Amino acid sequence: MKFKNLRIFGGRAKPAEPDFSRLPQHIAIIMDGNGRWATARALPRTAGHRAGSENFRRIATLCNDIGIRYLTVYAFSTENWSRPKEEVDTIMSLFREYLTEACSELTKKNITLKIIGNTEPLSPDIRELIRETERLSLGNTGLHVNVCLNYGGRAEIVRAAQLLAERVKRGELEPEQIDVACFESCLYTAGIPDPDLIIRPSGELRSSNFLLWQSAYAEFYTTPVLWPDFGREDLFRAISDYQSRSRRFGGLEKR
Ligand code: FPP
């Protein structure tokens, strides 16, 4: 395997190397700690988001290289609009930059991009870039990158309930036909497998409205490392930790 004998350097202890033959299929990341990273360097918070956005590119490339199938990142929540305008504008500019670059880069890297969330309140140029990037990257067979943008787990569930209620009202569906699969088909993530591993850098122990439905049986991992500093060693440590766990999905350990 390409990464089997990879040597890892750095200040922190060398993590146990993950088993590349049984990687999690889907990793989700709450990219937290950008503000603290910047404050610790006497920089504006916006500099932290820029560093976080650069790190997102590095981690996505690494996930693609090692063979992860799905990477979902929490980039902007339905609640993040309450932040100062300058901060929101900077994050939007970072999306704009990323999407512009992604239009030409993703096909070279064989990556598919999907935006998850309500894109309606976004500016028309960003919405157009999203449409174009999603269209151009469709059919690539490497990593699927899902960027949660103006996303909230509760809003997603409410939206699914409304879509189903409309179908019932139109007479297309009976209430008793609504089961887990039917509900899932109305989520933004329809067709995407649930995350196996959810990583939250910066040491927080909250889900913050991220993938509420999809995280039912995800394994959570946190580290004090702030997102802009979260590197290859940290990802490998998270994957190794995940591989040491026993996933029972409510059942009993397989013997
Ligand atoms: C949380 O850290 C981070 C955000 C709300 C924004 C994340 C956005 C990016 C990484 C940039 C754009 C992404 C892409 C995909 C191009 P925080 O600001 O809440 O950190 P703090 O808790 O230390 O204040």
Side-chain angles (χ1 to χ4, degrees):
M1 193 88 196
K2 196 159 51 153
F3 278 78
K4 194 86 179 114
N5 298 314
L6 193 75
R7 294 188 61 196
I8 297 154
F9 300 94
R12 291 184 286 273
K14 181 178 183 282
E17 195 166 281
D19 176 349
F20 292 100
S21 68
R22 45 183 201 99
L23 291 169
Q25 175 177 220
H26 184 170
I27 295 180
I29 304 180
I30 301 176
M31 301 188 290
D32 196 15
N34 297 343
R36 277 164 281 172
W37 183 92
T39 305
R41 287 161 180 76
L43 294 169
R45 291 177 56 82
T46 49
H49 294 312
R50 179 162 289 282
S53 146
E54 284 159 13
N55 197 41
F56 156 70
R57 288 166 173 79
R58 287 192 290 273
I59 293 295
T61 303
L62 176 60
C63 285
N64 192 33
D65 288 348
I66 66 173
I68 300 292
R69 300 299 303 136
Y70 295 86
L71 172 69
T72 301
V73 292
Y74 203 9
F76 193 84
S77 76
T78 41
E79 288 72 39
N80 286 152
W81 295 104
S82 65
R83 294 192 177 204
K85 183 174 183 312
E86 190 203 349
E87 186 167 340
V88 171
D89 287 349
T90 299
I91 296 175
M92 292 299 154
S93 296
L94 291 168
F95 292 138
R96 198 175 274 114
E97 274 175 33
Y98 173 69
L99 290 164
T100 306
E101 169 195 313
C103 270
S104 61
E105 282 300 304
L106 293 183
T107 297
K108 271 189 235 159
K109 293 184 176 164
N110 199 21
I111 291 175
T112 306
L113 181 80
K114 182 175 168 62
I115 302 297
I116 289 183
N118 178 10
T119 57
E120 270 171 40
L122 304 177
S123 72
D125 70 312
I126 294 187
R127 294 178 69 187
E128 180 52 33
L129 276 168
I130 290 173
R131 271 193 294 275
E132 189 60 4
T133 317
E134 286 184 336
R135 189 183 66 78
L136 287 173
S137 72
L138 202 70
N140 291 343
T141 54
L143 177 71
H144 294 261
V145 173
N146 305 308
V147 175
C148 295
L149 188 46
N150 192 27
Y151 171 84
R154 287 179 172 178
E156 179 185 37
I157 291 169
V158 168
R159 174 182 171 270
Q162 285 171 346
L163 292 173
L164 288 169
E166 279 162 19
R167 285 177 57 194
V168 170
K169 199 164 134 191
R170 287 198 299 267
E172 296 167 9
L173 187 71
E174 294 298 327
E176 28 323 324
Q177 289 176 295
I178 301 173
D179 58 11
V180 167
C182 174
F183 202 91
E184 280 177 349
S185 71
C186 293
L187 296 173
Y188 291 121
T189 52
I192 299 173
D194 285 345
D196 301 297
L197 168 63
I198 298 184
I199 300 173
R200 182 161 194 164
S202 92
E204 306 291 354
L205 296 169
R206 292 186 289 278
S207 75
S208 297
N209 205 12
F210 184 47
L211 302 179
L212 294 182
W213 173 285
Q214 300 84 344
S215 63
Y217 285 101
E219 297 293 328
F220 280 87
Y221 177 88
T222 190
T223 165
V225 176
L226 303 175
W227 171 247
D229 290 330
F230 185 93
R232 184 169 62 186
E233 297 167 41
D234 302 298
L235 183 73
F236 284 3
R237 200 175 279 117
I239 295 174
S240 296
D241 191 88
Y242 161 85
Q243 288 175 337
S244 72
R245 301 187 195 179
S246 151
R247 300 185 77 192
R248 295 186 295 278
F249 299 93
L252 296 179
E253 186 123 31
K254 286 205 181 76
R255 301 170 62 95

